[in-house]
Amino acid sequence: MEKVADIASDIGEYIRQQRSNAKISLRQLSKLAGVSNPYLSQIERGVRKPSAEILQQIAKGLRISAEALYVQAGILDLPTGGPVGDAIRADAELTERQKQVLLDVYESFRRENAAARPAAESAPATDTPDTTSAAATKESA
């Protein structure tokens, strides 16, 4: 039961932090998200654990990805991405939207390179110079 309370507290603190970063009041977020002011207050204080649907509405109101809230709430596992993804997610100077855009671009480059890799590995290596024939030509001259 303690773990559920910790998760509720963590997601509430995270939402409060995002709201503060966005410079909007609890009342404003309540209107933007379509969630009652008292309920939103309870979520931020860790008294209530919001459902995925409520998190999605809050994410919309904060203009951040719902995925970020799902991860914080323990609904989704933290996406993989290695040290680059971890660094982007940990950067306090970036907004959630900026982080998501960077992660999307990074992952698209990784997918593109992974798709190109098998083709490059199966093609014959023709762009490496043949140094043995060049050396043989020098010796015969």
Side-chain angles (χ1 to χ4, degrees):
M1 189 68 171
E2 265 181 53
K3 189 170 182 164
V4 172
D6 288 346
I7 289 172
S9 175
D10 291 347
I11 187 63
E13 179 58 35
Y14 183 77
I15 290 169
R16 178 182 288 134
Q17 196 175 48
Q18 294 304 311
R19 183 175 58 76
S20 175
N21 289 346
K23 295 180 177 31
I24 59 177
S25 71
L26 189 66
R27 202 174 298 274
Q28 288 171 317
L29 179 56
S30 172
K31 275 187 178 174
L32 291 169
V35 176
S36 78
N37 194 15
Y39 185 59
L40 191 54
S41 175
Q42 289 174 348
I43 292 169
E44 284 194 358
R45 288 182 286 130
V47 176
R48 303 269 253 166
K49 185 174 186 278
S51 67
E53 292 81 16
I54 296 295
L55 287 174
Q56 187 172 23
Q57 288 175 248
I58 293 170
K60 205 178 292 182
L62 289 169
R63 294 185 177 193
I64 63 174
S65 76
E67 182 183 75
L69 289 182
Y70 294 158
V71 168
Q72 286 295 319
I75 295 171
L76 284 180
D77 291 332
L78 188 63
T80 59
V84 174
D86 292 345
I88 291 170
R89 283 185 210 90
D91 193 331
E93 295 295 315
L94 299 175
T95 66
E96 284 302 314
R97 172 98 174 103
Q98 290 168 332
K99 290 175 188 180
Q100 192 59 54
V101 169
L102 280 173
L103 289 168
D104 290 347
V105 169
Y106 176 67
E107 285 304 316
S108 73
F109 284 147
R110 288 177 49 91
R111 280 192 304 274
E112 186 178 306
N113 291 344
R117 195 173 304 123
E121 289 171 358
S122 64
T126 57
D127 48 331
T128 55
D130 186 2
T131 54
T132 54
S133 63
T137 309
K138 260 188 181 173
E139 286 179 18
S140 65

